[in-house]
Amino acid sequence: MFCYTFSEKETLIFGRDQFYTFDQRYFHVPGYRTSQCKYLAARDFLHGNFTILTGRDSITILLKDADLVIYRTGKLISYDRLQKRTLTGLPVQFRDTTVKRNITHIVVNNTLGFDVVCDIKHFVCSITTSGFYHNATAGKF
């Protein structure tokens, strides 16, 4: 697993048990006690635009307009916060967020400078943020 980090973008990559962080460090997840156990992988602490939680079999993306859960199986459940409804199909469009599938990837684009691409076959996800989030994000295991 590798990535390049540019000054205008910050990238976090995580797979089953490993993280390559925004500040270019590798970490190993200590393990998930139950399927409900989640780790905070990344959060915009300054503006509150996104939060990423990882679990044994899923990742959860909390945004201002939607909540998304992407499962290792490729299933996605989304909740529209504005219209207060749950959706299970793709593609889906929210106020600031578009979610679509292209063969083996689920792609989340957010107009606030936040993108997620998950390779479902290997369950590896990449989170890319604009330079707007420089020094505004953090995560903890």
Side-chain angles (χ1 to χ4, degrees):
M1 175 172 24
F2 66 91
C3 84
Y4 297 99
T5 301
F6 304 98
S7 60
E8 71 273 3
K9 293 184 180 180
E10 301 295 323
T11 303
L12 165 79
I13 298 178
F14 62 91
R16 177 167 258 172
D17 295 330
Q18 297 179 0
F19 285 78
Y20 180 75
T21 66
F22 291 119
D23 58 355
Q24 302 175 340
R25 296 176 188 215
Y26 285 99
F27 287 97
H28 182 75
V29 175
Y32 301 96
R33 289 182 174 214
T34 68
S35 59
Q36 285 74 36
C37 180
K38 303 222 183 298
Y39 289 105
L40 175 64
R43 176 164 168 65
D44 168 17
F45 281 99
L46 193 58
H47 310 98
N49 290 333
F50 67 86
T51 299
I52 305 284
L53 303 168
T54 66
R56 180 188 300 165
D57 299 315
S58 66
I59 69 159
T60 302
I61 304 168
L62 306 174
L63 303 164
K64 288 194 173 189
D65 60 346
D67 295 341
L68 310 169
V69 181
I70 302 172
Y71 292 92
R72 185 178 304 279
T73 61
K75 178 181 175 182
L76 177 126
I77 297 177
S78 56
Y79 177 75
D80 186 327
R81 288 179 174 226
L82 304 175
Q83 296 183 11
K84 308 228 185 295
R85 62 185 175 135
T86 301
L87 306 164
T88 56
L90 287 176
V92 64
Q93 174 72 48
F94 303 100
R95 183 186 65 204
D96 298 317
T97 308
T98 302
V99 185
K100 59 187 173 185
R101 180 187 311 267
N102 65 16
I103 304 174
T104 61
H105 292 79
I106 293 178
V107 179
V108 179
N109 298 111
N110 184 278
T111 60
L112 300 175
F114 173 82
D115 298 312
V116 177
V117 177
C118 288
D119 176 339
I120 298 304
K121 182 177 180 182
H122 302 102
F123 203 60
V124 174
C125 298
S126 170
I127 295 105
T128 305
T129 62
S130 72
F132 173 75
Y133 295 104
H134 184 71
N135 288 330
T137 58
K140 182 151 176 94
F141 299 78

